[in-house]
Amino acid sequence: MLDALKYGCGIEALSAFVFENFYRFFRNILASGNLPLEQIRNRLVERSKYLLPTSADGMIINSSMQYEIEIKKFEVKTSGQKILVNFSEWKGIKKMVFSDFVLTNRFPNNVCLFKNGNVVVCSDFIEFPKMSNNFLVVGFLFQTKEHACVKPYLSTKYNTFIVSKLDERIGEWNINNLLCEMYTVPYKLTDYAKLPDITLPNVPNRWFTTPIRHTIL
């Protein structure tokens, strides 16, 4: 532990034996002591060809839902679009479930950023045309975006803003133009126990908003 603090690195980087921390990995893929490098190479090729890239590399997918999500992640990666995994509605709450996040029409999961730079508060989702699995986000646009900070960097360069002036006119955005979900909280609020309604236009509230990084396409 002292060496980890002294040299500013993780304990896993301070092994006395170069491959000691990966012993279990090698033990699992080596069948014998004959031609070990060839065995390692063959197992790595097999993993790259036949195993889906799960969050824990090389682990067996243990449920049909996980399999479906991993397939959708692969489709997202190859298509350049946010592909919907599931859509549901219950008691007025609509959920759009993607491979790595959920967008709803209720705060705090109802603020998103589109590829054209629009920060939108979602109020509804509609499928258009019907049975097409193509959805439109219905909501309201923040008309003003300001820097959240200018030092040590411009926050807007990383899509982090102070937003305000919610448009009272409703708009529609194609879900395939979605860039990410946004984490949004009131800016300089005195009492965070009473959050203002983010869906109300023509109010002086300002909001700090930043991308939820794992949802960025």
Side-chain angles (χ1 to χ4, degrees):
M1 182 63 72
L2 293 177
D3 284 342
L5 295 173
K6 179 179 178 181
Y7 296 110
C9 61
I11 295 176
E12 71 281 355
L14 296 171
S15 174
F17 177 59
V18 178
F19 299 111
E20 182 179 352
N21 292 309
F22 306 98
Y23 173 71
R24 184 174 181 178
F25 169 78
F26 290 114
R27 185 182 63 185
N28 288 340
I29 66 174
L30 290 174
S32 69
N34 183 43
L35 301 175
L37 291 179
E38 285 82 350
Q39 289 186 62
I40 293 171
R41 183 262 182 194
N42 291 339
R43 299 298 84 77
L44 291 176
V45 169
E46 290 169 0
R47 287 158 66 94
S48 66
K49 281 187 174 181
Y50 306 118
L51 286 179
L52 289 170
T54 59
S55 57
D57 180 34
M59 291 186 66
I60 296 173
I61 295 176
N62 55 20
S63 71
S64 59
M65 175 58 77
Q66 186 182 357
Y67 178 79
E68 182 180 358
I69 288 175
E70 295 300 333
I71 286 292
K72 292 297 183 181
K73 285 183 178 180
F74 180 76
E75 292 176 357
V76 167
K77 185 176 180 180
T78 56
S79 71
Q81 295 180 333
K82 287 287 184 185
I83 296 180
L84 185 67
V85 173
N86 187 32
F87 173 76
S88 65
E89 180 177 4
W90 186 73
K91 293 186 177 180
I93 300 177
K94 295 186 177 182
K95 293 184 178 181
M96 304 198 72
V97 182
F98 298 91
S99 59
D100 48 8
F101 69 100
V102 176
L103 193 63
T104 76
N105 61 338
R106 293 289 188 274
F107 186 79
N109 298 313
N110 66 334
V111 183
C112 58
L113 176 67
F114 285 87
K115 293 177 181 177
N116 63 359
N118 286 349
V119 179
V120 173
V121 177
C122 308
S123 61
D124 198 2
F125 307 107
I126 57 174
E127 187 177 15
F128 183 82
K130 287 289 185 181
M131 308 302 294
S132 66
N133 203 37
N134 182 54
F135 286 83
L136 297 176
V137 174
V138 179
F140 303 92
L141 171 71
F142 279 109
Q143 300 178 82
T144 300
K145 296 189 299 183
E146 307 169 65
H147 298 298
C149 66
V150 294
K151 291 183 179 180
Y153 58 86
L154 289 177
S155 65
T156 51
K157 183 178 179 181
Y158 299 96
N159 293 319
T160 298
F161 312 101
I162 301 298
V163 293
S164 59
K165 296 184 180 178
L166 194 67
D167 196 341
E168 62 182 5
R169 297 168 298 178
I170 200 164
E172 295 178 352
W173 292 263
N174 191 303
I175 197 67
N176 285 324
N177 293 324
L178 182 68
L179 181 63
C180 63
E181 185 180 347
M182 301 289 276
Y183 172 75
T184 307
V185 293
Y187 181 65
K188 292 186 176 180
L189 189 66
T190 55
D191 185 5
Y192 281 88
K194 298 178 180 178
L195 295 179
D197 187 349
I198 196 171
T199 62
L200 294 178
N202 300 320
V203 292
N205 297 325
R206 302 168 74 204
W207 300 79
F208 170 84
T209 187
T210 189
I212 301 177
R213 296 295 165 181
H214 74 272
T215 72
I216 297 176
L217 181 60

